[in-house]
Each structure stands twice: as structure tokens, then as C-alpha cells.
Amino acid sequence: MSSSVIGSALADVRAQVASARAAVLRSRAVTWTGTAADAADRRRGDLLTALRRCDEALDAADGVLEVARRAEMQCVPGRPAGLASALVGR
């Protein structure tokens, strides 16, 4: 699988995480009372924490993807070695 396919998939996941975060934030508009309100607030907090972890994992995956892109550039047949090493430094 090429790094461009992986990058596209990561972008799709990032968009889904952003949509989920927006939905959780919009849910604050719903009015609950009593213990239901407390439970809803806790659940929103739990969801936002999970989404923050997803963002952190995606950031780590982006770092791995960058390494994969550099490796791909070095392994392209016919590319002069000097050019590959110059591109890796970008």
C-alpha cells in the first residue's frame, strides 16, 4: 500500500473524528435535568477524552507516514541516489 493511500485514509479518519467531536459539542444544546444531566455531562466528557486520544494516535500515525514517504522516495527505481537523499531532507 502506498503512502498516498495511507495518507488519504488517515485524512478520512481525521474528518470522521472531527465530525464526531462536533456532534458531541452540539449535544450540549440538549437540556437534561437531575441525574440525567450529570450522566450526559460525564458521557460527553468521556467521548471528548476518547476523541482527543484519537487525535493523538492520528498525529503519531502521521509521523510514521512521513517516515514511510521518505522510505518510498529512497526506494523508487531509477531515481538518482543524490536526488532521493535531497528530497528526504524536506
Side-chain angles (χ1 to χ4, degrees):
M1 184 179 297
S2 74
S3 62
S4 61
V5 172
I6 295 168
S8 177
L10 286 174
D12 289 345
V13 172
R14 204 174 282 280
Q16 292 298 319
V17 169
S19 293
R21 179 176 291 103
V24 170
L25 293 174
R26 281 192 309 269
S27 73
R28 289 182 179 167
V30 176
T31 303
W32 297 91
T33 59
T35 56
D38 294 339
D41 284 340
R42 278 192 303 276
R43 184 64 182 142
R44 275 192 293 270
D46 292 345
L47 288 169
L48 290 172
T49 297
L51 291 168
R52 188 172 26 258
R53 286 187 191 128
C54 287
D55 281 332
E56 290 168 359
L58 287 166
D59 289 344
D62 284 340
V64 172
L65 178 61
E66 185 57 34
V67 170
R69 281 187 179 131
R70 289 178 184 162
E72 251 180 5
M73 286 192 292
Q74 289 179 340
C75 296
V76 173
R79 179 171 290 183
L83 176 60
S85 61
L87 291 174
V88 170
R90 285 186 183 185

